């Protein structure tokens, strides 16, 4: 999926403005939650989400979806990670 196609899907699903996020090699954030649904398209590197003890590694071209309130850990791969991300606050339609 191209970045333009990804942005179109975010708009169609009522997500906010698409953001470019860059995480350096070694980035890690312990368990936390968000007040928004998140959807992201990996552009480069690798990004890992751990939910309910299960780790999933996302590579370029992969899309992850994370519902609001989901406890998770996140980290970037050895070359960092860059992704395009959209957020939809809870209750937004």
């Amino acid at each position: 999926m191209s970045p333009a196609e990804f942005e179109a899907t975010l708009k169609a699903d009522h997500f906010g403005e698409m953001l470019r996020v860059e995480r350096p090699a070694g980035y890690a954030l312990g368990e936390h939650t968000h007040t928004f649904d998140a959807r992201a398209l990996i552009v480069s590197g690798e990004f890992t989400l751990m939910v309910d003890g299960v780790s999933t590694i996302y590579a370029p071209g992969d899309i992850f979806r994370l519902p609001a309130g989901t406890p998770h850990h996140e980290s970037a791969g050895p070359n960092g990670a860059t992704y395009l991300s959209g957020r939809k606050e809870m209750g937004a339609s």
Side-chain angles (χ1 to χ4, degrees):
M1 175 179 291
S2 75
E5 292 169 325
F6 180 69
E7 185 172 26
T9 66
L10 292 176
K11 287 180 181 178
D13 292 338
H14 308 287
F15 278 74
E17 181 180 345
M18 184 173 73
L19 305 171
R20 181 180 181 90
V21 179
E22 296 184 12
R23 301 293 188 206
Y27 166 82
L29 186 58
E31 187 172 80
H32 64 286
T33 62
H34 300 291
T35 60
F36 50 83
D37 291 339
R39 187 180 302 169
L41 170 67
I42 307 303
V43 175
S44 66
E46 293 180 343
F47 193 74
T48 301
L49 288 177
M50 185 170 65
V51 177
D52 293 331
V54 177
S55 291
T56 304
I57 299 172
Y58 297 91
D62 290 342
I63 295 173
F64 71 77
R65 293 164 178 80
L66 191 65
T70 302
H72 66 284
H73 299 256
E74 59 186 59
S75 60
N79 296 315
T82 300
Y83 55 91
L84 303 175
S85 178
R87 299 175 175 185
K88 182 168 39 172
E89 291 295 331
M90 292 178 69
S93 60

